[in-house]
Amino acid sequence: MSRIQGRFEALAKAKRKALIPYITAGDPTPSMSVPLLHALVDAGADILELGVPFSDPMADGPVVQRSGERALKHGVGLSDVLGMVGEFRRRDNATPIVLMGYANPIEAIGTARFLPQAKAAGIDGVIVVDYPPEECVEFAQAAKQHDIDPIFLLAPTSTEKRIHEVARCGSGYLYYVSLRGVTGAGHLDLSEVSKRIPQIRAATKLPIGVGFGIRDAESARRVAETADAVVIGSRLIQEIEAAPAEALTRVKSFLRPIRQALDASFSK
Amino acid sequence: MRMYDLPDERGHFGPYGGIFVAETLSQALDELREAYAAARSDAQFEAEFRYELKHYVGRPSPIYHARRLSEQCGGAQIYIKREDLNHTGAHKINNTIGQALLARRMKKQRVIAETGAGMHGVATATVAARYAMECVVYMGVEDVRRQAANVHRMGVLGAKVVPVESGSKTLKDALNEAMRDWVTNVESTFYIIGTVAGPHPYPMMVRDFQSVIGEESIQQMQEMAGRQPDAVIACVGGGSNAMGIFHPYIAAKEVRLVGVEAAGEGLETGKHAASLCAGRPGVLHGNRTYLLQDANGQITETHSVSAGLDYPGVGPEHAWLKDNGRAEYVAVTDDEALAAFHALCRSEGIIPALESAHAVAQAMKMAPKLPKSAILLVNLSGRGDKDLHTVAERAGKKL
Ligand SMILES: Cc1ncc(COP(=O)(O)O)c(C=O)c1O
């Protein structure tokens, strides 16, 4: 069983919801990344999504773009990110880590070399934003063979056919991006979420995470009424951006109330 | 393999092309694919497109026998396909007309575009005015500064120019930003991409609209010279003017196809924009193709004296034509392009765009090695008025 699957099963038994924060590796500085990941776990994260900086983040809004640019100023590349994960694993061998990024840095290493390296570093899942299911059948299969979950995105515009395709290729969890547009844009449409999640559930047994429109404890709680996991990205990165030197304490005080609100509403 | 069948259903040219986009974009592309497939087989759409090309753009553009330039080179005869004589002064408008007509069919009231030098932005602003559409053009702040005249031109035509601050603040970032606008406003908005890049169906669609260049050339060469050229030469930024003239010639195996990239200050300096000559395959802007990138797979900054060739990728069909050897790709430096610019001005009274001057430079290199009976056809993709500032600056003058 993969670490991600194990984590979701344990949560389900306790009737709890997963809290998944997203930060960009190398933001605000490379040396802060591992401490930040530990801080997120301290504050109640169940799974960590770690963004791989890319020069051309076409699907991201301004907040995630800027975090990537800060990381790129320090020259952070995919192999550095794998190094950070390896370092994180020395103290934490339980929390699943999912890499999220774009295809080109992976292809620059070569998918055949990347997957074993990622596994050795302690990575549990990958989200390649610009690899739709049609373009990565082989990659998804190879990832599974290396015990890495290929995780796919779904959007409000995804068709029924698409949902089934993604359900077939993906593992770990499915990631419903609860907005039209780029990450961090606009407001979360809760009625859309509660309408779409049951439709996705009908197509898959995988846990469903909802992400990127979520900004606080209340919106997290509302989303968790239908989803298995809430993913918080842009809003969390804003905490880092606002005061980089205090990032460790700020991300904790931002995440804790969300954890508490989730546990108050959902747990045995 | 019959290259004419390419791309496949999902936009692949061999291992290149495809649809590499986030899920948030895939439905918009589905819709576009269907709409274009329907338009492509609709005689009325075709007739409308041809009408506009003739009466609004001024097609067919002539082919001109550059006798004095040929004599000076002392070898092959150089013929020039005059895309510089089109309305707005470049080949870009062939494509913007096609896409704007498609936008109208799809009932989209708003068009957006990315631009580097500003030529595609101007061509988009022009058709938006012509078809009464709202128009927003994304342009890197670096380019807004370098291309002030074109920014003003777009404004006069009623378009809004949005300066892009992200990334390297140039063409590739403008493309990212236009894509972001498109995903956010997909219901009302049509994204007019300016070259044969981006996710399927763009590389195919832009090629189809630009193929009028090669179709006319085949007929005109027959009339003028009684035969087809030995080689067709075109500059390659994203590759739309080159694809437009190459594509109808692909089946004519005896015609060499030569694409000319920007070698900038020299391939060995790293300051260039020659993705095919010096890049590696990867994934950017929705397709797989040759890219200029570093060891980490980050897209690197490019350099060329001509802003229109300053792009770190290239259309996927060119990547395919390179690998299978049907086309050859070379690179020409800033200095060589400038020398060709002046040579064409002085020998023929034609001021070429600096992009197009790269193709002229390549013809001037090839011609002396060929007999007088040989024929080279150069696609002169645009006129050089926009570049007079740059040329003056390089000569240490101020306008
Ligand atoms: C005159 C001219 N030629 C060529 C290009 C390069 O584009 P492409 O390679 O798509 O023809 C441009 C782009 O701005 C241009 O303005």
Side-chain angles (χ1 to χ4, degrees):
Chain A
M1 192 191 318
S2 79
R3 240 187 306 235
I4 294 174
Q5 194 189 346
R7 180 58 57 110
F8 272 109
E9 285 181 8
L11 286 164
K13 242 180 233 147
K15 295 213 158 41
R16 292 177 73 219
K17 300 292 182 170
L19 177 58
I20 310 182
Y22 168 97
I23 58 170
T24 303
D27 174 36
T29 61
S31 62
M32 289 279 279
S33 291
V34 175
L36 273 171
L37 292 173
H38 288 304
L40 294 171
V41 176
D42 282 350
D46 297 299
I47 296 173
L48 300 165
E49 283 186 4
L50 187 58
V52 180
F54 181 48
S55 53
D56 293 80
M58 206 166 80
D60 287 303
V63 173
V64 177
Q65 280 176 47
R66 287 198 300 269
S67 74
E69 285 174 17
R70 287 191 291 272
L72 287 174
K73 279 218 180 80
H74 293 101
V76 175
L78 180 50
S79 43
D80 303 305
V81 181
L82 296 183
M84 291 172 190
V85 175
E87 196 186 326
F88 172 84
R89 282 276 172 251
R90 281 192 229 144
R91 255 184 62 198
D92 185 333
N93 207 21
T95 311
I97 295 197
V98 174
L99 283 195
M100 181 162 179
Y102 292 80
N104 202 55
I106 294 178
E107 296 206 349
I109 292 181
T111 51
R113 282 177 60 212
F114 164 73
L115 288 168
Q117 284 178 13
K119 186 64 205 171
I123 281 157
D124 304 288
V126 284
I127 303 169
V128 187
V129 178
D130 50 355
Y131 262 172
E134 298 86 356
E135 297 288 1
C136 75
V137 176
E138 281 165 37
F139 177 75
Q141 272 169 4
K144 285 180 194 166
Q145 276 159 16
H146 284 89
D147 234 352
I148 292 178
D149 288 315
I151 295 161
F152 288 94
L153 304 181
L154 286 170
T157 46
S158 299
T159 56
E160 190 81 18
K161 178 163 165 269
R162 193 70 173 183
I163 294 172
H164 283 276
E165 259 167 26
V166 162
R168 203 182 57 243
C169 305
S171 63
Y173 57 98
L174 286 186
Y175 188 172
Y176 180 73
V177 186
S178 56
L179 48 86
R180 292 163 196 274
V182 291
T183 55
H187 290 285
L188 179 63
D189 185 349
L190 284 163
S191 64
E192 173 98 47
V193 172
S194 49
K195 206 175 74 207
R196 296 287 284 188
I197 300 298
Q199 200 187 348
I200 299 171
R201 280 212 199 284
T204 183
K205 289 203 164 51
L206 291 174
I208 300 168
V210 171
F212 274 110
I214 300 164
R215 316 196 67 76
D216 52 20
E218 178 55 18
S219 51
R221 201 188 55 71
R222 300 274 301 275
V223 162
E225 282 170 7
T226 43
D228 304 299
V230 296
V231 187
I232 304 185
S234 298
R235 184 60 190 80
L236 178 65
I237 289 169
Q238 283 175 332
E239 293 295 315
I240 297 173
E241 183 168 50
E246 294 148 38
L248 289 175
T249 49
R250 288 186 73 121
V251 297
K252 281 202 235 181
S253 32
F254 174 75
L255 212 58
R256 266 203 191 106
I258 298 176
R259 174 81 269 169
Q260 282 158 5
L262 287 178
D263 288 347
S265 303
F266 314 94
S267 71
K268 256 202 307 226
Chain B
M1 175 135 2
R2 293 199 13 246
M3 281 185 238
Y4 269 106
D5 294 339
L6 295 179
D8 72 10
E9 190 88 338
R10 291 198 57 84
H12 296 105
F13 301 90
Y16 302 108
I19 304 174
F20 290 88
V21 296
E23 180 63 21
T24 43
L25 253 177
S26 72
Q27 211 237 335
L29 288 166
D30 287 349
E31 190 194 2
L32 177 62
R33 264 198 323 276
E34 278 167 33
Y36 180 57
R40 208 184 185 201
S41 56
D42 177 352
Q44 201 191 327
F45 181 83
E46 173 75 15
E48 216 176 344
F49 179 55
R50 298 290 155 185
Y51 182 93
E52 295 290 285
L53 289 183
K54 179 170 178 198
H55 297 280
Y56 189 64
V57 178
R59 302 204 71 93
S61 67
I63 283 182
Y64 169 73
H65 183 182
R67 285 201 176 80
R68 271 175 37 85
L69 182 68
S70 307
E71 256 164 49
Q72 282 170 20
C73 293
Q77 300 306 304
I78 298 171
Y79 285 70
I80 293 174
K81 177 66 172 164
R82 301 287 310 272
E83 290 299 298
D84 60 314
L85 295 178
N86 293 338
H87 179 42
T88 72
H91 68 292
K92 296 283 180 190
I93 195 151
N94 302 327
N95 169 48
T96 58
I97 294 240
Q99 291 198 50
L101 289 175
L102 187 58
R104 203 166 64 167
R105 252 176 96 102
M106 294 172 76
K107 309 231 167 355
K108 310 280 184 187
Q109 272 306 315
R110 179 174 177 266
V111 294
I112 58 172
E114 83 294 341
T115 199
M119 296 309 282
H120 174 60
V122 166
T124 304
T126 299
V127 297
R130 162 83 183 81
Y131 302 121
M133 290 164 166
E134 183 190 341
C135 178
V136 174
V137 178
Y138 290 92
M139 191 169 187
V141 284
E142 273 304 308
D143 293 327
V144 168
R145 191 182 53 75
R146 288 191 289 200
Q147 306 288 333
N150 270 343
V151 174
H152 188 59
R153 252 172 117 190
M154 288 183 262
V156 166
L157 290 162
K160 183 176 153 210
V161 179
V162 179
V164 175
E165 299 275 358
S166 58
S168 63
K169 306 177 184 13
T170 58
L171 176 59
K172 75 178 180 68
D173 310 283
L175 205 150
N176 292 332
E177 209 51 42
M179 278 286 179
R180 292 179 188 122
D181 176 317
W182 194 35
V183 251
T184 312
N185 302 299
V186 64
E187 255 110 83
S188 67
T189 299
F190 189 104
Y191 178 17
I192 301 186
I193 293 188
T195 191
V196 285
H200 181 63
Y202 283 104
M204 171 182 85
M205 180 166 73
V206 177
R207 173 200 77 193
D208 291 350
F209 292 140
Q210 291 291 2
S211 288
V212 64
I213 305 174
E215 288 157 10
E216 286 173 5
S217 298
I218 288 178
Q219 203 183 343
Q220 290 165 320
M221 285 309 300
Q222 195 57 44
E223 286 163 14
M224 284 189 77
R227 70 174 182 97
Q228 297 306 320
D230 297 286
V232 174
I233 304 167
C235 68
V236 177
S240 68
N241 86 85
M243 217 50 244
I245 198 164
F246 286 180
H247 192 257
Y249 275 109
I250 287 176
K253 290 268 152 51
E254 65 290 354
V255 179
R256 279 172 71 188
L257 305 176
V258 183
V260 187
E261 297 193 302
E265 296 179 12
L267 293 186
E268 68 292 347
T269 65
K271 290 191 159 185
H272 59 79
S275 336
L276 288 165
C277 292
R280 281 180 291 130
V283 173
L284 178 70
H285 292 153
N287 69 95
R288 181 175 281 124
T289 187
Y290 281 82
L291 301 173
L292 294 173
Q293 52 180 314
D294 67 14
N296 283 329
Q298 311 296 358
I299 306 308
T300 51
E301 289 185 29
T302 50
H303 171 88
S304 169
V305 67
S306 68
L309 301 185
D310 230 339
Y311 179 64
V314 63
E317 195 165 6
H318 286 293
W320 171 236
L321 292 175
K322 171 188 161 79
D323 280 13
N324 69 29
R326 177 62 191 93
E328 43 197 300
Y329 295 89
V330 296
V332 152
T333 64
D334 287 351
D335 288 343
E336 290 169 326
L338 277 157
F341 171 93
H342 291 296
L344 190 67
C345 290
R346 301 299 284 267
S347 64
E348 302 289 350
I350 296 172
I351 304 178
L354 283 174
E355 291 81 9
S356 324
H358 285 70
V360 176
Q362 179 61 21
M364 290 169 64
K365 280 189 193 179
M366 288 167 67
K369 297 178 199 144
L370 295 166
K372 285 203 160 47
S373 58
I375 296 178
L376 301 177
L377 175 62
V378 174
N379 195 20
L380 203 78
S381 55
R383 68 172 184 234
D385 309 45
K386 69 180 175 63
D387 296 313
L388 293 176
H389 252 99
T390 309
V391 172
E393 256 170 46
R394 297 280 296 212
K397 291 181 209 143
K398 212 170 154 52
L399 289 191

